[in-house]
Amino acid sequence: LTLKVLRVLFPFPRRERFDLMHVSSPGMLVHSSILASRLYQIPLLMSYHTHMPVYVRSYIPYPLNKLMEIFVWKYIKLTHSFADLTLVTSPQMAEEFAQHGIPRTIVWQKGVDTTKFHPDHQDADMRLRMSGGNSEDLLLVYIGRLGKEKRLKDLRGILEKMNSDGISTRLCIAGHGPAEDELQAYFQGTRTTFLGVLHGLELVQAFASGDIFVMPSDSETLGFVVLESMASGVPVVAARAGGPIDLIDHGRTGYLASTGDTENFVEAIRLLRDDTELHHRISLECRKEAELWSWEASMEQIRQKAYPQAFRNY
């Protein structure tokens, strides 16, 4: 069947004629969007959000994961070769796409709601709950998906090292995911509180009520929770990998540590804990940085840069 015949068999109603198609990848609508864009000669833009190769590395056993990762990259390259433009969420992701020969890729600066996520939501009762009734202790926080790819087991070594060094430290983990039960068992007997999934006011209070947000994951395409923590005025110590590299100016708006390096993470956490003036300064600076990442600016980039470029590429 030719495309002309298919257009006759599957007519596109005139009232639903689009100028451009924008689809999230990976996702259920990618393949149908590719077909529709070819059938009806409509420019196609894809935005890439979930980094599939990392999930393959994390969830498929060795050595099969190595073969699957090669296959997944070939699939991503094939899929995005149909896009007139692909948006990725960080320069690191754009570089990785370029290394795998995926064309027509630009960085889309995402946004954060700086009204919703705000230091004003700091709450003593929430802090008491997050710290298991020990609100005077140093409170480390992780909020987000509880998956193997997030490397959350790394946090136990960090927590134990802080306490063995004589610094009373608590860890709060909030969120849901496939590794939740395994993580609760792994952290049993440590100074860790699991809060489950939080919504609304409780969520923004949790972001604003800790001392330091810790992100051990090396799989982030952007790291929305990092940005939300920064908007809440809570300094972040994150793995030097993926999206957080683009979000954090090391030593000014937070700290980056080597992935899986407990000593490196502890060193950064101790800097913030031991110097209250430094902690306060970085808290102010990370809030200022987050204010530059507004959703208004993000959407303006889409309208003024991405969509016109997709038309030109088409």
Side-chain angles (χ1 to χ4, degrees):
L1 294 175
T2 66
L3 292 181
K4 184 175 181 181
V5 171
L6 284 171
R7 283 198 295 271
V8 173
L9 292 175
F10 303 101
F12 207 123
R14 289 182 178 273
R15 66 180 181 278
E16 295 179 5
R17 174 73 188 188
F18 305 128
D19 295 312
L20 178 141
M21 301 181 72
H22 183 167
V23 63
S24 177
S25 170
M28 297 297 292
L29 296 178
V30 170
H31 302 107
S32 56
S33 296
I34 291 172
L35 178 60
S37 72
R38 289 299 179 268
L39 276 175
Y40 299 102
Q41 300 179 340
I42 302 170
L44 177 63
L45 182 146
M46 295 184 188
S47 49
Y48 183 79
H49 298 285
T50 302
H51 200 26
M52 295 168 62
V54 172
Y55 285 80
V56 169
R57 283 179 232 144
S58 300
Y59 290 98
I60 296 179
Y62 179 85
L64 185 59
N65 59 355
K66 298 295 183 182
L67 295 173
M68 284 299 296
E69 187 173 351
I70 293 171
F71 170 78
V72 165
W73 271 116
K74 288 185 179 297
Y75 167 77
I76 293 171
K77 183 177 180 179
L78 175 63
T79 300
H80 285 263
S81 68
F82 290 101
D84 296 296
L85 185 67
T86 292
L87 305 179
V88 294
T89 53
S90 71
Q92 292 73 33
M93 193 57 57
E95 182 179 350
E96 197 167 357
F97 267 45
Q99 289 170 354
H100 285 86
I102 300 171
R104 300 180 296 281
T105 300
I106 66 170
V107 176
W108 175 19
Q109 178 177 303
K110 301 301 264 317
V112 62
D113 187 337
T114 54
T115 301
K116 178 180 178 181
F117 295 94
H118 196 283
D120 287 350
H121 291 299
Q122 188 177 47
D123 183 80
D125 290 337
M126 175 56 75
R127 183 180 176 89
L128 194 67
R129 180 180 164 193
M130 293 168 71
S131 62
N134 300 273
S135 58
E136 296 302 314
D137 289 352
L138 179 69
L139 181 56
L140 307 180
V141 179
Y142 171 84
I143 302 171
R145 173 181 160 86
L146 307 187
K148 186 177 179 182
E149 76 284 355
K150 301 298 183 181
R151 301 184 61 103
L152 297 178
K153 289 185 177 180
D154 291 357
L155 296 178
R156 177 167 176 162
I158 295 167
L159 177 65
E160 291 178 340
K161 175 63 175 170
M162 292 293 295
N163 281 292
S164 67
D165 287 348
I167 302 171
S168 292
T169 306
R170 303 279 165 173
L171 171 65
C172 176
I173 297 176
H176 178 67
E180 185 172 1
D181 292 341
E182 181 182 348
L183 287 169
Q184 288 188 1
Y186 184 76
F187 281 91
Q188 189 171 5
T190 68
R191 298 179 176 184
T192 305
T193 301
F194 283 83
L195 293 186
V197 179
L198 300 176
H199 300 283
L201 181 60
E202 284 190 327
L203 177 64
V204 297
Q205 287 177 340
F207 267 105
S209 299
D211 294 312
I212 299 167
F213 191 96
V214 187
M215 171 56 83
S217 171
D218 60 354
S219 66
E220 305 304 298
T221 56
L222 175 65
F224 273 114
V225 292
V226 169
L227 202 50
E228 288 162 353
S229 183
M230 292 170 67
S232 302
V234 174
V236 178
V237 178
R240 188 180 285 105
I245 296 175
D246 191 42
L247 299 177
I248 296 172
D249 183 356
H250 182 72
R252 185 180 70 84
T253 62
Y255 285 95
L256 297 168
S258 299
T259 304
D261 189 332
T262 297
E263 292 291 340
N264 206 193
F265 270 89
V266 168
E267 181 183 359
I269 291 168
R270 290 201 63 159
L271 281 173
L272 290 165
R273 182 263 180 187
D274 294 343
D275 190 336
T276 54
E277 186 176 320
L278 173 67
H279 187 284
H280 179 66
R281 184 171 72 249
I282 289 184
S283 177
L284 294 176
E285 288 295 328
C286 68
R287 169 65 191 182
K288 286 181 187 176
E289 179 68 21
E291 288 173 347
L292 301 176
W293 292 69
S294 71
W295 277 116
E296 290 79 6
S298 178
M299 293 300 102
E300 189 69 12
Q301 181 192 7
I302 286 285
R303 290 191 298 268
Q304 299 299 327
K305 182 178 179 181
Y307 289 165
Q309 188 166 336
F311 277 112
R312 288 194 297 271
N313 292 346
Y314 178 77

